[in-house]
Amino acid sequence: MKTVGKRVSLRDTAYDEIRKLIVTCELRPGQPLTVTDLAEALNIGRTPVIQAIDRLAVDGLVDVMPRKGIVVSPVSLDDFMEVIEMRMVNETAAVRWAAERASRAEIAMMETNLAAIWQAAKDRNIEEFISLDRDFHRLITQSASNRILGDVLSSLHDKALRFWFISLKAPDHNIRVCEQHAAVIEGIKSGNLDVAEKAMREHIASFQMNATSQIMRA
């Protein structure tokens, strides 16, 4: 029996493509948009683009203003600080549980991820780097064995994604991230909850400091 793959709607395609342009800052914070220009750029009809814009507005990535049009939502330092506060609370809990509960196989996957992210950093492949970073944090949450916490952190990482691309404008930050990931893994591997938490706190604090610096320069 032939397996039929799930069909991706034009609405979802438009949403994914526009969202990617926003979070990678190819569409800059505050930049005005038009449905016509987006439809032409994506080679998609206006209706799927309008539906995608409605969804992006709910996500907080675009602002739709009557009689003024559509703009990419500005980057809010206040929003960023709230995300950082929530990550500090939740990811330090996750890494402590991971240090208690991670299996050898899960630690091995973290180490494989670390090798790949080092290579992405050396290649200056930012999209691959960020994808691997997301995978790294998912592996920690998976090792923590708490699905609800996993959902919370997935949402927080989505909200932080645009700030990640801004943060990585600093050419040496991706190397520091690799070093920080290595320290987190060492804490988990040793089963030392305090060491793992300290490494995670330093990792998040470094992201906060670097992204804030880049935002202030913009």
Side-chain angles (χ1 to χ4, degrees), residues 36 44 76 128 210:
T36 299
I44 292 177
S76 166
E128 178 69 7
N210 192 65

Side-chain angles (χ1 to χ4, degrees), residues 24-25 120-126 129-130 162-178 180 206-218:
T24 60
C25 296
K122 292 172 183 175
D123 294 342
R124 293 293 297 160
N125 187 334
I126 301 301
F129 184 92
I130 287 179
R162 190 157 50 149
F163 297 104
W164 241 136
F165 276 90
I166 292 170
S167 175
L168 291 172
K169 289 180 181 178
D172 60 338
H173 186 63
N174 51 3
I175 299 299
R176 292 198 301 271
V177 169
C178 295
Q180 292 156 8
S206 175
F207 169 46
Q208 175 188 348
M209 181 173 64
N210 192 65
T212 300
S213 175
Q214 296 297 320
I215 293 167
M216 297 299 287
R217 291 177 188 175

Side-chain angles (χ1 to χ4, degrees), residues 132-144:
L132 288 164
D133 178 79
R134 289 292 298 273
D135 290 343
F136 174 74
H137 287 278
R138 286 193 194 101
L139 287 170
I140 291 174
T141 307
Q142 176 183 315
S143 301

